[in-house]
């Protein structure tokens, strides 16, 4: 993962501090995902989780666009790009332990939008736009779009996007809380690196545990969610790391009060 990449690789990786910047690298087709790209992206995301030195990942695209989804030109001959025998679902359904930030410039359409929805945070350039145009192509948003979007946007707006295939400008997405940071065009990766640095200030165990709790309990009623949460949280709360963190917090508070 840390070797010098071939600029012709479909996915590029670069370590920036404690973050791994993962770049979809097919700009001539707005980074549409074919089979080699899907396999390379899955490998990069798996390597991110496996490297204890890396505290966050940033997913972006080359050439001024994020991702226009599945490569439909390759689809008739090669079918759906397969990852873990689940098509693009191998990318959008896998529960990654390391926080992942989508740095979106330009188009985030179809499977590209679904990739962004699978990330934990979204940063977008001012001219970026999102969309799920599958219905216009005789397809459906089956890699998380139809599941995640109604829970992230007001229901009627989500349904409008799903049923019409219309585009959602980044400014409107930010207004509804779908985008965490709206930044000038070209600065999405920089803003994502700032968020990654803020995440990296905290212990890895606490960050990954919070993420595991959110993913394990989402969609369940409160009673069931607590049942699912308790064994996950107790592993951290009874660990030496938790005791050390509490001690450090107490020391900081004491020092602050004595000034």
């Amino acid at each position: 993962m840390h070797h010098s990449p071939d600029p012709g690789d479909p996915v590029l990786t670069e370590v920036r501090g404690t973050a791994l910047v993962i770049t979809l690298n097919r700009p001539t087709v707005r980074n549409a995902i074919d089979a080699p790209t899907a396999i390379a992206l899955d490998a990069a995301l798996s390597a991110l989780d496996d490297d204890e030195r890396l505290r966050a990942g940033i997913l972006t695209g080359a050439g001024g666009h994020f991702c226009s989804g599945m490569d439909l030109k390759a689809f008739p001959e090669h079918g759906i790009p397969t990852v873990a025998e689940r098509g693009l679902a191998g990318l959008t359904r896998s529960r990654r332990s390391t926080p992942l930030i989508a740095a979106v410039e330009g188009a985030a359409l179809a499977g590209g939008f679904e990739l962004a929805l699978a990330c934990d945070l979204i940063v977008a350039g001012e001219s970026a736009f999102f969309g799920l145009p599958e219905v216009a192509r005789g397809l459906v948003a089956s890699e998380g779009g139809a599941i995640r979007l109604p829970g992230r946007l007001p229901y009627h707006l989500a349904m409008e996007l799903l049923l019409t295939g219309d585009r959602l400008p980044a400014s409107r997405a930010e207004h509804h809380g779908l985008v965490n940071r709206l930044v000038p065009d070209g600065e999405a990766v920089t803003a994502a690196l700032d968020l990654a640095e803020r995440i990296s200030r905290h212990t890895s165990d606490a960050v990954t545990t919070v993420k595991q709790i959110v993913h394990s309990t989402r969609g369940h009623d409160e009673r069931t969610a607590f049942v699912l949460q308790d064994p996950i949280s107790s592993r951290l709360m009874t660990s030496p790391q938790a005791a050390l963190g509490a001690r450090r917090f107490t020391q900081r508070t004491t020092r602050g009060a004595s000034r």
Side-chain angles (χ1 to χ4, degrees):
M1 183 179 67
H2 302 294
H3 69 284
S4 298
D6 182 334
D9 288 346
V11 173
L12 305 177
T13 58
E14 179 187 6
V15 176
R16 300 280 297 273
T18 58
L20 181 68
V21 179
I22 303 170
T23 304
L24 298 168
N25 187 39
R26 303 186 72 216
T28 57
V29 289
R30 295 200 293 185
N31 303 311
I33 296 176
D34 60 2
T37 306
I39 292 169
L41 178 55
D42 183 60
L45 292 170
S46 296
L48 170 66
D49 271 355
D50 292 341
D51 193 329
E52 295 180 355
R53 297 168 295 177
L54 298 173
R55 303 296 306 283
I58 295 168
L59 179 60
T60 193
H65 289 285
F66 181 69
C67 176
S68 59
M70 185 173 65
D71 189 341
L72 293 181
K73 291 184 178 179
F75 175 65
E77 182 177 354
H78 301 289
I80 296 174
T82 299
V83 176
E85 300 181 352
R86 296 194 306 273
L88 287 178
L91 300 173
T92 59
R93 297 186 199 178
S94 296
R95 288 186 175 179
R96 313 282 179 180
S97 60
T98 308
L100 188 61
I101 305 167
V104 178
E105 302 280 0
L109 298 173
F113 191 7
E114 292 175 311
L115 278 177
L117 289 171
C119 293
D120 300 294
L121 299 94
I122 300 177
V123 175
E126 292 173 330
S127 297
F129 55 91
F130 304 87
L132 294 169
E134 281 87 344
V135 290
R137 302 167 179 170
L139 304 170
V140 292
S142 60
E143 301 306 340
I147 296 171
R148 295 184 173 112
L149 200 61
R152 312 281 176 89
L153 289 175
Y155 175 80
H156 294 102
L157 176 57
M159 292 306 294
E160 179 182 340
L161 295 177
L162 287 164
L163 296 175
T164 67
D166 289 347
R167 294 177 175 183
L168 177 70
S171 58
R172 194 176 182 196
E174 192 256 352
H175 173 76
H176 289 292
L178 185 67
V179 167
N180 297 86
R181 301 283 189 279
L182 186 65
V183 298
D185 291 339
E187 296 185 15
V189 170
T190 300
L193 283 166
D194 177 67
L195 282 171
E197 192 277 328
R198 293 176 63 186
I199 291 169
S200 72
R201 298 174 192 173
H202 310 299
T203 65
S204 178
D205 286 344
V207 168
T208 57
T209 300
V210 166
K211 182 171 176 178
Q212 185 182 1
I213 288 171
V214 170
H215 282 221
S216 298
T217 60
R218 183 189 296 168
H220 292 282
D221 64 84
E222 188 173 288
R223 182 186 296 273
T224 303
F226 272 110
V227 172
L228 295 170
Q229 172 204 259
D230 287 348
I232 300 171
S233 61
S234 63
R235 283 197 295 270
L236 177 65
M237 297 300 286
T238 58
S239 70
Q241 291 91 334
L244 179 61
R247 233 179 355 258
R248 287 175 176 168
F249 176 79
T250 303
Q251 290 168 354
R252 285 199 302 270
T253 303
T254 303
R255 283 198 299 269
S258 63
R259 290 174 183 170

